[in-house]
């Protein structure tokens, strides 16, 4: 059974930090690119960040560059998103997703975890 379980969201004051986790199971973790997406009320889902391998590449959406850090731990089948200097506009449901190398579309999606930033 393929699963991506996102966790780590919560209510945080502006300027604070969170670390989101995405635990993968049911497929070969090392063969997949992982991405983080988010969706705020009234807005479309947008890509936030993605990662290939620890010795590969990472990408970030412009508004989160310098504040968000994506990483992965292959031994734990887990990908992380460290979020620092939180802003109100970061409030959203955050989703993790996975795709095979060489594919454009993501194959698997998690259930999401809610991040709420208070002022």
């Amino acid at each position: 059974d393929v699963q991506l379980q996102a966790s780590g969201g919560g209510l945080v004051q502006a300027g604070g930090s969170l670390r989101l986790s995405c635990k993968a199971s049911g497929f070969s973790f090392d063969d997949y690119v992982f991405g983080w997406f988010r969706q705020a009320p009234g807005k479309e889902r947008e890509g936030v960040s993605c990662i290939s391998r620890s010795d590969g590449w990472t990408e970030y959406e412009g508004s989160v560059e310098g504040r968000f850090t994506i990483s992965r731990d292959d031994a734990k089948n887990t990908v992380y998103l460290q979020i620092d200097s939180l802003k109100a506009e970061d409030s959203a449901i955050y989703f993790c997703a996975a795709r095979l190398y060489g594919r454009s579309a993501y194959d698997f999606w998690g259930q999401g975890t809610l991040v709420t930033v208070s002022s």
Side-chain angles (χ1 to χ4, degrees):
D1 186 39
V2 173
Q3 285 191 314
L4 293 173
Q5 188 168 25
S7 62
L11 175 63
V12 183
Q13 290 185 343
S17 298
L18 282 173
R19 189 177 75 159
L20 308 184
S21 299
C22 178
K23 176 71 174 180
S25 61
F27 61 96
S28 181
F29 187 86
D30 292 355
D31 293 333
Y32 283 78
V33 173
F34 283 84
W36 284 98
F37 299 78
R38 67 185 180 186
Q39 187 168 24
K43 301 183 69 175
E44 295 182 348
R45 185 171 61 196
E46 64 176 351
V48 175
S49 183
C50 57
I51 185 169
S52 60
R53 299 180 300 271
S54 60
D55 61 348
W57 51 260
T58 59
E59 295 181 356
Y60 297 93
E61 193 274 326
S63 68
V64 309
E65 181 73 40
R67 299 188 299 116
F68 289 23
T69 304
I70 190 170
S71 61
R72 62 190 291 166
D73 187 338
D74 291 353
K76 296 182 178 180
N77 287 356
T78 302
V79 63
Y80 303 97
L81 186 68
Q82 177 69 38
I83 308 175
D84 297 319
S85 301
L86 278 159
K87 303 176 180 180
E89 53 263 42
D90 294 322
S91 295
I93 301 175
Y94 284 72
F95 300 90
C96 62
R99 63 171 176 87
L100 284 167
Y101 288 98
R103 288 177 55 85
S104 297
Y106 280 80
D107 299 286
F108 308 126
W109 291 83
Q111 85 286 2
T113 184
L114 178 64
V115 173
T116 303
V117 182
S118 63
S119 59

